[in-house]
Amino acid sequence: MSLISIIHTKVIPFVFKISEQPMLFKELMHANKIYNDGMNLEYNMKGFRIRLGRIYFVYFALVLFLATPLSFIFHTQLAKIDCHALIISSIVFTILLFSGFALFKSWLVEQVSVQLITKAWKNHFPHFAYANNTQKVSNIYAEALEIGIQNKDLQRHIITKMVD
């Protein structure tokens, strides 16, 4: 099993509480637009909730899994370094540790968001491939918002524009 498949099958269900309800069409359009615009997905996306304690557990387990063998390997070299250099290196390590957590969390949110968007895409657009049409649908949705298409006519408008 690859690392990505382990993350999708084990880590994401452990860290996130994912709703069983299917995503509504309007929610899909909003999430797709936000994702394609590169905006923050964590607070703008519906359908999942982060279990913060579990994400801390997974991240620090991963860090310990990587750092423990390295500390055993380089222990003799680290013991000979000046204490001032160790203080500076511990500050740098702490900065990297917590900034790495923020990057890890945002990457996991992006992974679960893409997973939910593609699942909803298969539900609402079964005849259109997600990878080929995501940007086109995002642009059509933005145009529909500009011209004031009502929610009840939104799906028909977008599908009509996609077929043209």
Side-chain angles (χ1 to χ4, degrees):
M1 277 180 97
S2 70
L3 183 63
I4 298 296
S5 66
I6 291 172
I7 288 172
H8 283 281
T9 58
K10 304 287 186 206
V11 174
I12 287 178
F14 179 72
V15 170
F16 293 97
K17 171 71 175 144
I18 299 173
S19 174
E20 295 296 324
Q21 298 295 324
M23 190 181 288
L24 299 174
F25 184 78
K26 176 82 173 166
E27 292 173 350
L28 171 63
M29 293 297 99
H30 181 68
N32 186 48
K33 176 81 171 121
I34 288 172
Y35 177 73
N36 286 327
D37 290 346
M39 296 173 57
N40 185 6
L41 296 166
E42 183 177 352
Y43 303 110
N44 294 317
M45 179 102 176
K46 294 181 180 180
F48 67 90
R49 184 174 57 90
I50 298 175
R51 297 173 176 161
L52 202 54
R54 291 183 180 191
I55 198 168
Y56 277 117
F57 174 76
V58 169
Y59 178 70
F60 286 113
L62 181 66
V63 167
L64 285 175
F65 180 72
L66 296 174
T68 303
L70 290 175
S71 64
F72 282 127
I73 292 170
F74 296 111
H75 177 71
T76 56
Q77 291 85 5
L78 291 173
K80 296 176 185 176
I81 296 177
D82 182 40
C83 68
H84 296 94
L86 285 176
I87 291 170
I88 292 172
S89 65
S90 68
I91 292 170
V92 170
F93 179 76
T94 304
I95 291 169
L96 291 175
L97 180 77
F98 288 108
S99 61
F101 175 75
L103 292 173
F104 179 71
K105 181 180 170 188
S106 67
W107 181 77
L108 274 181
V109 166
E110 182 177 339
Q111 294 298 309
V112 76
S113 298
V114 168
Q115 188 177 8
L116 288 174
I117 289 171
T118 55
K119 181 180 175 185
W121 188 278
K122 290 176 186 174
N123 185 24
H124 293 290
F125 297 112
H127 303 293
F128 299 100
Y130 172 73
N132 300 336
N133 297 304
T134 181
Q135 191 62 45
K136 183 178 179 181
V137 168
S138 180
N139 294 337
I140 294 170
Y141 175 67
E143 291 171 5
L145 289 179
E146 283 182 18
I147 61 175
I149 301 290
Q150 294 181 356
N151 287 341
K152 64 181 181 175
D153 300 327
L154 186 63
Q155 187 171 6
R156 183 177 44 82
H157 175 77
I158 290 175
I159 290 175
T160 304
K161 289 284 189 175
M162 286 178 65
V163 173
D164 289 343

